[in-house]
Amino acid sequence: MMAQPHEAMPAGTGPRAGATLRLDAISKRFGSVTAVNRVSLEIPAGSFVSLLGPSGSGKTTTLNMIAGFLRPDEGELYFDGRPVANVAPNKRDIGMVFQSYALFPHMTVYDNVAFPLRARGGLDGAAIDRRVREQLEMVRLADFGERFPKQLSGGQRQRVAMARAVVARPSVLLLDEPLGALDKNLRDQLQGEIKKIHRSVGSTFVYVTHDQSEALNLSDLVVVMREGRIEQASDPRTIYQAPETPFVAEFMGGANLLPATVASCSAAVLVLDLHMGGRVLAPASGSKPAEGEEVSLLVRPEDVLIAEKPPADPEVMSLSCSVLDVAYFGDTIRLSLDASGTILTARVPARGSAGLSAGQQVLFCWRQGSARVLRRRRYKP
Amino acid sequence: MDQPRHLSASFARAPLIGMVLLSLAYLIFPVVVVVVISFSGQKFLSFPPASFSTVWYRDILTSADWAQSFWITIRVGVLAAFLSVGIGLPAAFALVRRRIPGKGVLEALLLAALITPPIIKGLSLYLFYAPLGLNNTVVGLAVAHTVTGVPFVILNVSASLRGFDMDLERAAVIHGCSQLGALRRVTIPIIMPGIIVGTVFAFLQSAQELLVALFVMGSVQRPLAVKLWESVRVSIDPSIAAASTLLIAFAVVAFVLASVLQWRRRLA
């Protein structure tokens, strides 16, 4: 029922579609460091986008330029086609959830949530009161209006910050690692609430995080950033299953990346010489590498099969290695394996793997079609 | 060695507590003496007094001379406090938030205003004011006291500003406030305790200051500190003690107010 659009809302406060965001080759330098380097991105109206990357990747700087706290050195930003690089933050129709929440300590929860409505003006007291009460109900804090932020738990503060950010139904909502300060259970629970709020308010959400599972769970579009550039921008499934670069594959978690040289490339399959030794087949997908090019072969841990005898199926590739460690997770086990100096990871069902133990010689196998060849990304200078 | 630890610890603490009490007594004793003498029933300064009365309070509170001194001190102090905030508040923002070349030098100069010998300040201000006709004016003394008041405001406000989370101001701006609106609605209210403490300090340093006041306002209209000084030289009846006690009470009230404000802020 919370996700239902509210009817009979005062003008300008009802749910409405978010804005389309377009970043057109924006750059930001701090001294000699280029924090954001010619980033271009199109964010559809009302979508949920995550900027994902390690610290120093430029995701927060990008967010601060969208907010208007930083002015890009080059390039332009468009909200619904309107250039905004020179528009003050308070004129951009944005809401924001800060990592530290930034709740006003001298105001009650009610006054914090009412703040954007009062600051923007245009609503009378009764309308503001109704909007604030509705919003507090939406984040299940209806009885906490008279409290001060210091009297709330971390999760409650996060919800107040969320309520304040969306109460004025901004066309863009920015979230800067909004769950970073919370423990895991609470994070999982609040992810659900953030999704629900996104559906109900319809704003365009831009979410900065370094947690890939958060990004995969919440987003329509995941933008992986590295050293001030966009490494890949795709939907969550594609980002995880079809990463375009070794960096993305590694950042999305637990990937085996085997460096290799392309020995030959026919139409459907590539032949690779692994640097660790051995020749394997790999599917040719996406842009095709040239003969002799250095690439990485990605094998996801969950696609690995562990065998004792060489497989008969020519579609199954194998590498011999020794078991370094067996970690038990209930439903699955994670194996660390040593293949002539390269450490590999495999995640296999616990059932049927009872006999595996450290020191054992096994074969690390995968179906040729489940692997991916990743080319190194080259940026134009 | 099987003695309980807290026992030996409290033995070790005893001399320490003794030292603390002794130091406190040393600091407070003169104040206590003045307060006690102010309630004396005798016509001269003696401690302890043989009898008690409030006659000296009645004396100064009904004396036009003392009343004028009080009034001047309050006018000078309030004006100096306001001028100090007017200059010190923007200066603190600039020093904390802006990159200014030679910031260290500026900060050192501010502290220099606090430690310049008052006698030198008094003399130079007197010579400086003479051609301007500012000697013997409330404004002149208030401006003189502002020189020492400004560092008090800057030190207190910049301490508050350094602890201020800039995201709070950003949150105000992104949610619809102008820069000025964010300052007015968020930043200033949050650093208000620092501003108030700085203002109280600026007022109190003006109210108790003697040397500069002696040079600048020594003749016709005398602020309380100058009046006290002169009274000690011509008469030694306990009315001076009563006036001093009132000055002390003033300071205590101001500090209690400032502390209550800070305590309320910590609660919020």
Side-chain angles (χ1 to χ4, degrees):
Chain A
M1 57 166 241
M2 280 173 191
Q4 291 297 312
H6 298 280
E7 285 162 89
M9 290 274 235
T13 63
R16 60 176 170 219
T20 308
L21 259 64
R22 192 153 70 82
L23 317 186
D24 185 13
I26 56 169
S27 296
K28 185 72 197 174
R29 279 178 289 276
F30 298 114
S32 59
V33 181
T34 304
V36 173
N37 197 344
R38 298 181 57 77
V39 162
S40 295
L41 182 66
E42 178 114 24
I43 301 173
S47 61
F48 197 127
V49 179
S50 292
L51 303 181
L52 176 66
S55 56
S57 58
K59 56 191 195 299
T60 301
T61 306
T62 305
L63 193 79
N64 282 333
M65 284 193 280
I66 298 174
F69 298 140
L70 292 174
R71 190 186 299 238
D73 294 325
E74 285 158 29
E76 182 59 89
L77 291 120
Y78 300 90
F79 285 16
D80 279 336
R82 184 170 58 99
V84 294
N86 291 313
V87 175
N90 54 328
K91 305 284 182 223
R92 291 188 183 193
D93 192 21
I94 291 178
M96 185 156 175
V97 181
F98 292 80
Q99 186 171 14
S100 61
Y101 312 138
L103 298 177
F104 305 127
H106 59 304
M107 295 182 195
T108 60
V109 166
Y110 182 98
D111 288 332
N112 265 282
V113 176
F115 189 92
L117 298 174
R118 291 176 179 154
R120 285 162 170 242
L123 284 181
D124 62 33
I128 288 177
D129 186 63
R130 198 172 44 208
R131 279 297 311 129
V132 172
R133 285 181 197 287
E134 271 172 11
Q135 197 58 58
L136 284 175
E137 216 157 284
M138 190 172 178
V139 297
R140 296 181 289 109
L141 287 172
D143 298 332
F144 290 74
E146 297 313 309
R147 304 243 189 136
F148 282 92
K150 277 205 175 147
Q151 300 165 304
L152 302 179
S153 71
Q156 289 167 339
R157 282 182 213 176
Q158 206 283 335
R159 272 147 49 201
V160 176
M162 203 68 207
R164 180 181 65 180
V166 299
V167 70
R169 298 291 178 265
S171 52
V172 178
L173 189 75
L174 308 177
L175 303 101
D176 185 8
E177 309 227 8
L179 305 179
L182 302 171
D183 62 55
K184 195 180 174 312
N185 283 340
L186 210 48
R187 276 210 306 267
D188 293 347
Q189 184 198 332
L190 285 168
Q191 281 181 36
E193 297 199 11
I194 289 176
K195 261 188 181 172
K196 204 149 63 178
I197 289 171
H198 175 241
R199 277 197 299 269
S200 107
V201 303
S203 311
T204 307
F205 276 39
V206 182
Y207 189 101
V208 161
T209 180
H210 61 262
D211 182 323
Q212 70 277 13
S213 67
E214 251 172 56
L216 291 176
N217 172 27
L218 292 169
S219 326
D220 305 315
L221 179 67
V222 178
V223 179
V224 179
M225 294 190 70
R226 177 200 189 189
E227 290 170 11
R229 288 181 158 112
I230 292 178
E231 192 82 1
Q232 185 174 354
S234 307
D235 64 281
R237 249 168 227 288
T238 311
I239 280 275
Y240 187 79
Q241 290 174 350
E244 284 166 11
T245 70
F247 176 82
V248 174
E250 205 148 27
F251 196 76
M252 295 319 293
N256 295 301
L257 288 171
L258 312 176
T261 312
V262 179
S264 84
C265 38
S266 71
V269 258
L270 303 172
V271 181
L272 304 178
D273 283 328
L274 297 179
H275 290 185
M276 59 194 287
R279 172 167 282 206
V280 295
L281 302 178
S285 53
S287 70
K288 216 181 225 181
E291 223 163 277
E293 188 176 323
E294 296 294 313
V295 295
S296 294
L297 184 68
L298 163 68
V299 181
R300 286 278 176 207
E302 60 270 30
D303 293 331
V304 175
L305 314 162
I306 298 295
E308 304 204 353
K309 281 180 229 132
D313 188 345
E315 285 290 293
V316 176
M317 307 291 114
S318 69
L319 295 168
S320 62
C321 49
S322 62
V323 178
L324 284 177
D325 185 43
V326 182
Y328 181 67
F329 286 96
D331 53 343
T332 60
I333 57 172
R334 197 186 64 208
L335 297 167
S336 296
L337 305 146
D338 178 0
S340 40
T342 306
I343 306 299
L344 303 171
T345 307
R347 190 179 269 275
V348 295
R351 205 170 288 158
S353 313
L356 290 166
S357 61
Q360 207 174 336
Q361 291 294 317
V362 293
L363 289 169
F364 177 95
C365 309
W366 69 93
R367 300 196 70 80
Q368 180 257 105
S370 70
R372 279 188 71 81
V373 174
L374 306 180
R375 305 179 70 189
R376 312 265 152 90
R377 172 143 296 179
R378 284 191 190 81
Y379 293 106
K380 292 171 206 98
Chain B
M1 272 325 282
D2 49 8
Q3 218 179 39
R5 264 190 73 202
H6 66 268
L7 205 64
S8 59
S10 68
F11 271 125
R13 272 215 319 260
L16 188 69
I17 291 171
M19 282 297 289
V20 169
L21 289 178
L22 214 62
S23 318
L24 278 177
Y26 174 74
L27 290 173
I28 291 174
F29 189 66
V31 177
V32 173
V33 169
V34 168
V35 173
V36 171
I37 289 178
S38 75
F39 290 101
S40 167
Q42 281 149 307
K43 278 195 177 323
F44 45 88
L45 294 172
S46 70
F47 185 83
S51 58
F52 292 94
S53 81
T54 54
V55 62
W56 304 112
Y57 284 94
R58 219 175 308 143
D59 236 36
I60 52 169
L61 290 175
T62 53
S63 142
D65 221 24
W66 280 106
Q68 193 206 22
S69 291
F70 264 112
W71 181 227
I72 289 173
T73 291
I74 287 172
R75 270 153 68 205
V76 169
V78 168
L79 188 56
F82 271 101
L83 287 173
S84 302
V85 174
I87 298 169
L89 187 61
F93 269 91
L95 281 175
V96 172
R97 294 200 174 168
R98 303 273 164 195
R99 281 161 191 258
I100 307 170
K103 192 187 270 191
V105 177
L106 276 175
E107 277 165 353
L109 271 175
L110 275 172
L111 290 177
L114 281 180
I115 56 168
T116 314
I119 187 95
I120 293 175
K121 264 193 269 188
L123 184 60
S124 53
L125 277 163
Y126 179 74
L127 296 173
F128 177 58
Y129 277 178
L132 299 172
L134 279 170
N135 283 321
N136 288 314
T137 63
V138 166
V139 175
L141 186 57
V143 169
H145 283 164
T146 302
V147 175
T148 356
V150 168
F152 278 112
V153 173
I154 292 184
L155 289 175
N156 278 291
V157 173
S158 46
S160 305
L161 269 182
R162 280 197 196 94
F164 177 83
D165 178 6
M166 275 305 285
D167 275 350
L168 293 173
E169 211 169 288
R170 290 199 190 101
V173 168
I174 201 94
H175 291 122
C177 271
S178 62
Q179 273 299 335
L180 266 177
L183 274 183
R184 193 171 59 78
R185 289 178 179 204
V186 173
T187 313
I188 299 289
I190 290 173
I191 63 164
M192 193 47 98
I195 299 175
I196 289 176
V197 171
T199 314
V200 168
F201 273 37
F203 176 83
L204 288 179
Q205 65 84 27
S206 163
Q208 59 85 46
E209 199 283 330
L210 172 64
L211 280 169
V212 174
L214 210 50
F215 274 97
V216 174
M217 268 187 123
S219 46
V220 199
Q221 302 177 294
R222 282 162 306 211
L224 204 51
V226 176
K227 169 83 177 154
L228 271 171
W229 165 248
E230 287 186 348
S231 305
V232 173
R233 296 200 318 164
V234 294
S235 74
I236 44 164
D237 68 46
S239 60
I240 336 159
S244 307
T245 304
L246 286 177
L247 204 55
I248 292 164
F250 225 48
V252 169
V253 168
F255 268 102
V256 168
L257 270 177
S259 317
V260 166
L261 276 163
Q262 267 181 323
W263 173 72
R264 268 190 42 192
R265 158 132 170 67
R266 236 172 285 138
L267 269 191

